Amino acid sequence: MPFGECTVTLQDVAFQLGLLVDGNAVSGCLAEFENFIEGGRPAWEWFQELFGELPLPNKVKNITVHFTWFHERFWVLPADATEDTVRIYARAYITMLLSTQLFGDKSANWVHIRWLPFVANLDDMGSYSWGSTALVWLYRCICRVVNRNVTNLVGPLQLLQSWIFWRFPSLRPYGFDDFSFLLASRWAAYLLPNDGKEQRVINYRLALDRC
């Protein structure tokens, strides 16, 4: 492409989302977590310690918690919150962010508790390479969606959308020319219209052909 690589790179992740692309690897949250549940400390016991309480049974499915429980329980931080309460709310927010924004999957409204080892110590959160992990997850999701039996793309889609609008100005909506770091922040108020989808696809294809 005229601007170089025709793919999202680590530089894009750093500029678009402001996430670290170096540091400790985010590992063990998928494979080792099941072993932790079976042979180590009970996961739900740890969950209660970190978040102060357990969700109702109807809000739990396997080792995920419905998003509404987090949203309703941690919606507003109490005015008289102690430092421990602030940490609980911070863990809840980060857990929701990881499960629904950076590493979302087709479970949609279910928050996976695989992130317990990372939110347990908030002081260490900034030492991990979340940017490279988010990029890997995006690549995996894109690879999966090319399967003809898969219809929906999941993953860090705000990263992909912001990258498209940044690298392909002809596809960028009008009225969003001002930007600052983080680059993706200018799309916080952008709402894609629901009408005229077919015509937009045709226009996008023509624009890409002209690149």
Side-chain angles (χ1 to χ4, degrees):
M1 302 301 293
F3 52 79
E5 293 285 351
C6 187
T7 187
V8 186
T9 66
L10 286 174
Q11 182 190 64
D12 293 312
V13 179
F15 288 175
Q16 299 292 343
L17 299 183
L19 295 175
L20 288 177
V21 294
D22 54 8
N24 297 325
V26 179
S27 62
C29 57
L30 294 177
E32 297 177 13
F33 190 77
E34 294 181 359
N35 297 331
F36 174 83
I37 293 177
E38 294 176 359
R41 187 181 187 184
W44 291 109
E45 177 184 313
W46 199 11
F47 184 97
Q48 184 174 15
E49 178 181 314
L50 294 178
F51 295 101
E53 61 183 88
L54 290 173
L56 296 174
N58 64 340
K59 296 292 186 179
V60 176
K61 183 168 65 174
N62 296 327
I63 51 176
T64 62
V65 180
H66 201 274
F67 177 83
T68 55
W69 181 82
F70 280 94
H71 187 268
E72 294 167 358
R73 174 62 182 82
F74 302 104
W75 174 246
V76 178
L77 180 69
D80 58 347
T82 63
E83 182 177 347
D84 289 339
T85 302
V86 172
R87 285 183 170 273
I88 289 175
Y89 275 68
R91 290 190 189 104
Y93 176 79
I94 294 172
T95 301
M96 287 189 291
L97 185 66
L98 292 174
S99 286
T100 62
Q101 298 298 316
L102 289 182
F103 306 104
D105 55 28
K106 289 191 175 183
S107 64
N109 291 326
W110 293 93
V111 176
H112 206 293
I113 66 171
R114 66 167 66 101
W115 306 109
L116 291 183
F118 297 95
V119 299
N121 191 344
L122 295 176
D123 295 332
D124 292 339
M125 288 292 296
S127 66
Y128 290 98
S129 179
W130 295 106
S132 61
T133 310
L135 183 60
V136 169
W137 183 245
L138 177 62
Y139 284 165
R140 174 177 290 186
C141 293
I142 292 176
C143 288
R144 287 175 176 173
V145 82
V146 298
N147 189 311
R148 64 178 181 177
N149 298 321
V150 179
T151 57
N152 296 320
L153 175 62
V154 296
L157 299 185
Q158 70 275 25
L159 166 62
L160 182 61
Q161 174 184 275
S162 186
W163 173 82
I164 291 172
F165 290 160
W166 176 256
R167 294 297 192 181
F168 298 88
S170 59
L171 304 180
R172 187 183 306 161
Y174 295 107
F176 292 89
D177 295 328
D178 296 333
F179 63 89
S180 59
F181 188 77
L182 315 166
L183 295 180
S185 62
R186 65 170 155 171
W187 305 109
Y190 173 67
L191 293 176
L192 185 67
N194 291 323
D195 56 333
K197 293 181 180 179
E198 294 78 7
Q199 186 59 46
R200 283 203 306 274
V201 171
I202 295 175
N203 294 338
Y204 290 159
R205 287 173 176 170
L206 289 175
L208 286 172
D209 289 339
R210 297 190 185 104
C211 289

